[in-house]
Amino acid sequence: MEMLSISLLNGTIYGLLLFMIAAGLTLIFGMMGVLNFAHGAFYMLGAYAGYVLSARVGFFPGLLVAGLIVAAIGAMVERYMLRSVHAHGHAHELLLTFGLLFVFDEIVKFFFGYYPVSYRVPETLSFSVFRIGSLEYPAYRLFVGLVSIGFFGALVLILRFTRIGLVVRAAVHKPMMVEALGHNVPLVMLLVFAVGAGMAGLAGAVAGAFYPTSPAMASEIGTIVFVVVVVGGLGSLGGAFIASLMIGILTTLMVGVDTTLADTLSFVGFGSWGKDIGGIFAVPLSASAGTLPFALMLMVLLLRPAGLMGERT
Amino acid sequence: MTATDLNIEDSNRTSARKAPGLGLLLITGVTVLLFTLPLLIPPVFLNYAIKMMVAGLFALAFNLLWSHARLLSFGHAAYYAIGAFAVIHALSLSERGVLSIPTPLIPMMGLIAGALIGLVVGYLATVRGGTYFAMITLAVGELLLSIAPKWEAVFGGESGLSSMRMPWAGLTFGMVGEVYIVVLIWCLFGLVLLRWFSATPLGQIALAIGDNEKRLRFLGYRTHAVKTVIFSLSAAVSGLAGGLIAFAMESASFELFAGANSAMPVMHTFLGGADVFLGPIAGGMGLTLFSELASNASRLWLLYMGVIFVIVMMFAPEGLAGFISRHVKLSLTCWRLLIADYAVFLSGCAGLVLSGVWMAEVSYRLMGTSPIVGLTPDGTITLFEWTFSATSKPLWFAAVAVFVLSLFGVLAAAKRARTTWLTIGQKKDGLR
Amino acid sequence: MLSVHGLRAGYNGTSVLNGVDFDLSGGEIVSLVGRNGSGRSTMMQALLRIVKPTAGEVTLNGCSVANLETYQIVRAGLSYVPEERLVFHNLTVRENMTLGIQRRPNAVATWHPDEFWSIFPNLATRRDVAAGALSGGEQQMLTMCRSLLGNPDAILIDEPTEGLAPKIVEAVVGLILEMKRRGIGVVLVEQKLTVALEISDRVTVMGHGTIVFEGSPQELCARDDVRRKWLEV
């Protein structure tokens, strides 16, 4: 029971973090029609920027500056790279971001090597906030959750109640029509790209201190966030929110489950048969937590490609 | 721009019709050369040659989907790996005497396994197009990657599987030369298969799908079935490529499923040039050769390749082969107009590469992030037998100067060349 | 007000507009008629540079628009109501209206959302409903009102009456006449020749990407040959 409540809390916080990264990706997809392969790299760049800066300007200012730096990088990618490839079609934009993921990965390895760097939670936040039964809960995890909730709230407020938010919400579905009403859509796209990248970067800076900061994080989180965006519905912020929480909680819960597929089969009397086959049937579900998101994404893509909340096209 | 493209395409077609004799001669020559290669070069290079051919074949298989139906797959590692495991299992079965097929025919198992899995995945994936298709292939790839290391019986867990090539008909397959010939024959088979497919009516319909799928559907074609077939064929030849690597290495592990293997054919194809038949082969072979040579010399090879890929996507989206073939068709008069700019452009590129690589390599050693390459204790570096101080100011100044000057030269030359191209295009437009 | 000279445009190397010359003054309704594929919609999109023209000169209130982006042209006073009634389905009717508002101090005519709420009570009662839930006719009204809120000097309207009930066609025609009354120049692509002839000051017939006839509705009625060659199916 204690385990369950801790897992639920962890899963929720992980889900919120996923949303902070996925928000930019799904908005960018809606406006540009391009799924940005390099988005996971922004998360990674944020973590490394946070690692470098926190040692120099202090932890919390470091987080903020890391987010801003990644936002600037995102803006440059949009303005000087994606925009010039736009004329060649979506496939080439996709390929460009694919190449960028590769380049950012290698640049990070260039400066920081292949192994995780020791980016640590600051002293001020390394205590436990409360206990559930015998388990202590680290304050930093709550901090991650709070930052994510803060950004979620800010994003919702901006989108709902400002004019630029209105333009973004409209442009997610019909960018050309928005421009034909006299709105500077290229500028709005640049802003959304920068803000999306910046949020992913800040998420990286915040999470990097807690989870390992290594070159592998770009493609790891990148693929999970892809799943979130697809399951939620490409271009749908609300869908991305639900999918983030769903995947965050599901994968965290799965890690704690020791049942195997063979055990499940024994309910219907095929237990020993399952164990004989071995292989995937004998693997505990906890080990297949990594498989679940992709299975889910595949199901969504095949059965309901518009996702949970996406518009059918 | 558009007018020029049209002209080039026209001349493309006519020249292809004009000189079949020359082409045939070239093909025969290259084939003969490939078959006599074991006599000409040492075994180490034959290993390189095997990897190159397989990479070329893999890229070509990947590009079947893009060049015909405009489908981008980001999960082709799956079929490559499954082909490899099929061959490893077949090899160990024949090792145990369960299966008796001639050893040189075993790579066929990769082809069959790829075709079957391709049929299933293709049927599901090609329901959608565009980004959704790309995402489905990516998801399938990641799914298999996450399952593979846990399914010991089939994929050998974390350590992988290995087996031995059995002797057959007096051949031991212990020599790399023998393996090379088997791989070469299979690669040529794959090449011919893909080439032949493009010429079949089905291949032509697949080509039309890329242009306008809706129109074909309205005409009554079952485009989904056609796409499933070409997906299956693409996966089959990818499986063959993976099978050949497993055949050559006598081992396979779950890492074959990794994203890097899905990225390779994408990079090879689009760097080489997706719309020219030989482009992916050139890209696959060229880049594999470079990576074999360069990865020994430099730890930064992947960075260079990524940067080149991004630059090509931005400035020459038709790929290097497309870029070159556009220029080969130019008339002599046009060349005379362009030659000076091109000379500046090329020397500028050389300057950029030299200074850029120098700076990257030296700063990489200065960073000290790599456990393998670093500075000598006295702060010097030896590159190509040349020893110098890593922090020497004059050297750094020279490198930066060369870089900036080259960049300037390249940009200026490219701008002038573009203007010339436009005037050429307009003249032709006016004549028509 | 709007003047076009030698406009050429196309898609992927195929030329659709082959040199169009065209003028529009304030308070004038000009209909573009012609068969499908004659280049009418492309012309509208080329004027706004949604499709980038390959040649030609377009001036709006005496200023060239050659170096402007689409949104800048709209802000300079040329609005566009596309054929597909592109309302933003996920936004409310009111939000759709708000998106159209542009401040233009020197505009020929100014419009206010409240006017539209009183002209079209249907929209007013459903102003907080998602626009995707409106009927086709209501969506058409909404797109036209939305574009007018940009306070344009000239407006391009593509097939406004397509697929609408006669009563709603009347309302659309009423709104277009109101635009004319306030001094806005209107370019209308209209499939229904009767409507076009009834409200237009001038009719322009397009064929093969050029203008093949220009004159008053009466003149067009008198020219059987033009109608037979360029209009009848």
Side-chain angles (χ1 to χ4, degrees), chain A:
Chain A
M1 199 57 223
E2 296 157 13
M3 266 312 288
L4 187 68
S5 32
I6 292 259
S7 288
L8 274 177
L9 194 57
N10 284 351
T12 311
I13 286 172
Y14 181 51
L16 286 168
L17 183 75
L18 284 181
F19 174 75
M20 199 167 151
I21 309 162
L25 187 61
T26 202
L27 285 179
I28 291 163
F29 179 85
M31 293 181 76
M32 301 185 186
V34 178
L35 207 56
N36 178 13
F37 265 104
H39 202 72
F42 292 140
Y43 172 78
M44 172 187 68
L45 290 177
Y48 277 95
Y51 162 66
V52 171
L53 291 165
S54 62
R56 290 184 177 59
V57 298
F59 186 79
F60 297 100
L63 294 184
L64 204 68
V65 180
L68 290 176
I69 288 176
V70 178
I73 294 173
M76 305 239 267
V77 166
E78 202 279 339
R79 178 68 187 79
Y80 295 106
M81 306 183 98
L82 269 180
R83 208 172 283 185
S84 66
V85 176
H86 183 75
H88 305 307
H90 282 339
H92 276 92
E93 291 177 283
L94 199 66
L95 288 167
L96 178 73
T97 63
F98 181 70
L100 281 174
L101 170 67
F102 206 84
V103 170
F104 283 135
D105 246 23
E106 293 302 321
I107 287 178
V108 161
K109 285 180 195 160
F110 182 99
F111 285 107
F112 302 98
Y114 289 72
Y115 302 107
V117 293
S118 66
Y119 179 24
R120 294 227 183 82
V121 173
E123 289 293 314
T124 40
L125 282 176
S126 44
F127 59 92
S128 62
V129 243
F130 53 79
R131 304 168 68 95
I132 299 178
S134 58
L135 299 162
E136 296 190 335
Y137 204 82
Y140 196 77
R141 242 186 227 274
L142 277 192
F143 173 70
V144 174
L146 284 178
V147 171
S148 307
I149 289 179
F151 268 88
F152 173 64
L155 205 60
V156 167
L157 290 179
I158 290 172
L159 286 176
R160 269 248 88 78
F161 297 110
T162 66
R163 189 164 164 84
I164 191 159
L166 184 62
V167 172
V168 170
R169 277 188 292 147
V172 163
H173 295 287
K174 299 183 177 84
M176 205 57 242
M177 189 60 230
V178 179
E179 184 160 1
L181 289 175
H183 298 285
N184 190 347
V185 172
L187 181 69
V188 173
M189 283 192 182
L190 181 74
L191 277 177
V192 169
F193 204 96
V195 170
M199 275 175 70
L202 189 74
V206 171
F210 195 78
Y211 302 105
T213 295
S214 77
M217 67 198 291
S219 47
E220 271 166 19
I221 209 78
T223 41
I224 296 284
V225 172
F226 263 25
V227 173
V228 165
V229 167
V230 169
V231 170
L234 291 165
S236 160
L237 209 59
F241 185 66
I242 294 171
S244 302
L245 288 179
M246 196 165 92
I247 284 169
I249 292 173
L250 272 181
T251 49
T252 315
L253 284 182
M254 283 263 292
V255 174
V257 182
D258 284 325
T259 328
T260 64
L261 273 182
D263 293 339
T264 326
L265 285 176
S266 65
F267 278 114
V268 284
F270 287 110
S272 57
W273 175 74
K275 282 204 182 72
D276 286 345
I277 292 185
I280 45 169
F281 289 100
V283 171
L285 281 181
S286 57
S288 30
T291 310
L292 175 91
F294 301 108
L296 193 67
M297 166 167 157
L298 205 56
M299 254 161 56
V300 167
L301 279 170
L302 294 171
L303 300 177
R304 195 186 148 77
L308 295 176
M309 316 254 302
E311 262 191 24
R312 282 180 181 277
T313 41

Side-chain angles (χ1 to χ4, degrees), chain A residues 35 80-81 88 91-92 94-95 98-99 102-103 106 110-111 226 230 234 279-280 283 287 291 295 297 301-302 305, chain B residues 66 74 124 128 132 135-136 138 143 146-147 150-151 263 266-267 270 300 302 306 309-310 314 317 360 367 369:
Chain A
L35 207 56
Y80 295 106
M81 306 183 98
H88 305 307
H92 276 92
L94 199 66
L95 288 167
F98 181 70
F102 206 84
V103 170
E106 293 302 321
F110 182 99
F111 285 107
F226 263 25
V230 169
L234 291 165
I280 45 169
V283 171
T291 310
M297 166 167 157
L301 279 170
L302 294 171
Chain B
W66 169 253
F74 287 98
L124 298 173
R128 319 277 170 218
Y132 288 102
M135 301 300 302
I136 293 175
L138 187 77
L143 196 65
S146 64
I147 290 174
K150 285 157 201 146
W151 201 341
V266 179
M267 295 224 172
F270 286 94
L300 299 178
L302 286 175
F309 182 75
V310 168
M314 286 180 66
M367 296 294 306
T369 38

Side-chain angles (χ1 to χ4, degrees), chain B residues 394-411:
Chain B
L395 277 178
W396 270 97
F397 180 78
V400 172
V402 169
F403 191 86
V404 171
L405 276 176
S406 305
L407 188 66
F408 187 73
V410 163
L411 291 178

Side-chain angles (χ1 to χ4, degrees), chain B residues 16-377:
Chain B
R17 238 179 279 131
K18 233 184 290 169
L22 192 73
L24 207 66
L25 205 69
L26 206 69
I27 290 170
T28 327
V30 170
T31 316
V32 169
L33 183 72
L34 283 173
F35 273 100
T36 49
L37 212 56
L39 306 172
L40 305 174
I41 59 173
V44 188
F45 290 107
L46 278 184
N47 270 327
Y48 288 173
I50 289 174
K51 285 186 187 161
M52 285 165 65
M53 291 189 302
V54 168
L57 184 67
F58 189 22
L60 202 63
F62 161 86
N63 192 37
L64 181 73
L65 281 170
W66 169 253
S67 64
H68 283 74
R70 293 291 177 223
L71 293 170
L72 269 183
S73 163
F74 287 98
H76 252 48
Y79 321 111
Y80 184 77
I82 280 171
F85 278 102
V87 164
I88 285 295
H89 282 292
L91 278 177
S92 61
L93 283 179
S94 84
E95 200 182 339
R96 275 185 271 144
V98 184
L99 192 76
S100 59
I101 39 172
T103 305
L105 286 184
I106 282 181
M108 171 72 95
M109 291 300 152
L111 190 83
I112 294 169
L116 292 179
I117 187 96
L119 211 55
V120 177
V121 177
Y123 180 80
L124 298 173
T126 55
V127 175
R128 319 277 170 218
T131 310
Y132 288 102
F133 173 83
M135 301 300 302
I136 293 175
T137 54
L138 187 77
V140 171
E142 292 289 332
L143 196 65
L144 289 172
L145 174 63
S146 64
I147 290 174
K150 285 157 201 146
W151 201 341
E152 293 252 359
V154 182
F155 301 114
E158 303 272 343
S159 55
L161 295 173
S162 58
S163 68
M164 297 256 290
R165 292 180 295 261
M166 288 288 105
W168 174 79
L171 296 165
T172 59
F173 297 105
M175 305 272 286
V176 65
E178 291 165 356
V179 177
Y180 168 84
I181 294 293
V182 173
V183 172
L184 173 61
I185 292 173
W186 276 109
C187 281
L188 290 176
F189 169 77
L191 183 84
V192 171
L193 181 68
L194 292 175
R195 188 74 180 147
W196 165 80
F197 173 79
S198 301
T200 60
L202 198 62
Q204 295 295 313
I205 295 168
L207 206 58
I209 287 179
D211 279 345
N212 192 339
E213 186 178 348
K214 219 178 257 170
R215 190 190 301 159
L216 274 173
R217 246 198 327 258
F218 290 151
L219 286 173
Y221 288 99
R222 288 160 61 203
T223 55
H224 182 209
V226 177
K227 286 194 288 183
T228 307
V229 170
I230 62 165
F231 192 100
S232 175
L233 181 62
S234 169
V237 179
S238 303
L240 176 63
L244 287 172
I245 273 294
F247 183 79
M249 302 294 157
E250 300 185 302
S251 69
S253 84
F254 81 95
E255 282 174 0
L256 286 169
F257 283 99
N261 267 342
S262 293
M264 281 311 131
V266 179
M267 295 224 172
H268 293 162
T269 297
F270 286 94
L271 275 178
D275 291 334
V276 180
F277 181 73
L278 292 178
I281 299 184
M285 294 186 76
L287 284 165
T288 308
L289 178 64
F290 269 124
S291 73
E292 290 291 330
L293 298 177
S295 63
N296 289 332
S298 164
R299 310 278 300 168
L300 299 178
W301 158 246
L302 286 175
L303 175 63
Y304 300 146
M305 192 161 101
V307 170
I308 294 171
F309 182 75
V310 168
I311 290 175
V312 168
M313 281 303 99
M314 286 180 66
F315 300 108
E318 75 271 54
L320 293 178
F323 188 75
I324 291 167
S325 80
R326 188 142 62 95
H327 286 81
V328 171
K329 310 292 180 206
L330 274 182
S331 70
L332 216 60
T333 3
C334 300
W335 267 115
R336 221 165 280 148
L337 289 170
L338 288 164
I339 194 83
D341 289 326
Y342 276 28
V344 175
F345 182 80
L346 286 177
S347 42
C349 286
L352 278 179
V353 169
L354 281 177
S355 56
V357 167
W358 187 87
M359 288 193 285
E361 293 292 337
V362 174
S363 25
Y364 188 50
R365 284 162 176 77
L366 282 173
M367 296 294 306
T369 38
S370 164
I372 293 151
V373 294
L375 300 173
T376 52

